[in-house]
């Protein structure tokens, strides 16, 4: 009788041990799934913020047509044909020497036509680690001037 009792308690402990191993395995898998989901959420947030910043920069470029004016509208700086703006995590303008989260560059090129100028911009939003979050290409028409007044050819 005593031998049967030992066998029965060993079987019980073995079942508990197997059940514990299964729960631990499921827990490990769930932790990995949630960690991957958090990483995907961060990447999606950066892409969404980058797209928003690129669209805002495109609107500013469309209203101004030059790197200097675009930088002035966005609160950034211009260096030749490139405007650079910095933003914090809440997508508010930030100083270049502060703890910024995103950097937006607007590279402007112009093509002269008889009726005016076609200004093109390649806009990129970068995360603080240097990865590109989003990019956008846009163009705007700048009417030509003749004698200080706009004209159409």
């Amino acid at each position: 009788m005593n031998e049967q009792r030992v066998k029965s308690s060993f079987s019980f402990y073995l079942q508990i041990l197997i059940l514990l191993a299964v729960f631990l395995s499921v827990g490990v898998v769930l932790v990995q799934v949630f960690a991957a989901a958090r990483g995907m959420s961060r990447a999606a947030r950066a892409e969404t913020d980058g797209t928003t910043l690129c669209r805002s920069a495109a609107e500013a470029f469309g209203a101004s047509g030059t790197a200097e004016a675009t930088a002035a509208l966005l609160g950034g700086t211009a260096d030749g044909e490139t405007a650079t703006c910095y933003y914090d995590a809440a997508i508010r303008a930030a100083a270049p020497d502060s703890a910024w989260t995103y950097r937006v560059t607007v590279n402007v090129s112009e093509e002269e036509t008889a009726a005016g100028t076609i200004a093109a911009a390649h806009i990129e939003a970068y995360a603080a680690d240097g990865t590109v979050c989003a990019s956008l290409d846009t163009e705007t028409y700048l009417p030509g001037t003749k004698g200080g007044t706009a004209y159409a050819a």
Side-chain angles (χ1 to χ4, degrees), residues 93-108:
D97 57 351
S98 67
W100 53 270
T101 306
Y102 301 106
R103 174 175 51 98
V104 176
T105 60
V106 181
N107 296 312
V108 179

Side-chain angles (χ1 to χ4, degrees), residues 18-32:
I18 290 172
L19 187 62
L20 184 62
V22 167
F23 279 134
L24 285 175
S25 299
V26 168
V28 167
V29 168
L30 287 176
V31 165
Q32 290 176 348

Side-chain angles (χ1 to χ4, degrees), residues 29-117:
V29 168
L30 287 176
V31 165
Q32 290 176 348
V33 166
F34 285 123
R38 184 173 183 190
M40 290 172 64
S41 176
R42 285 182 178 168
R45 175 69 180 191
E47 184 177 352
T48 300
D49 289 348
T51 301
T52 300
L53 292 170
C54 284
R55 291 175 75 183
S56 295
E59 289 292 333
F61 173 73
S64 63
T66 65
E68 294 82 15
T70 300
L73 287 172
L74 296 174
T77 59
D79 181 20
E81 296 300 315
T82 302
T84 305
C85 306
Y86 297 90
Y87 297 91
D88 62 12
I91 310 180
R92 291 184 301 244
D97 57 351
S98 67
W100 53 270
T101 306
Y102 301 106
R103 174 175 51 98
V104 176
T105 60
V106 181
N107 296 312
V108 179
S109 62
E110 296 180 351
E111 178 186 340
E112 297 291 330
T113 65
T117 304

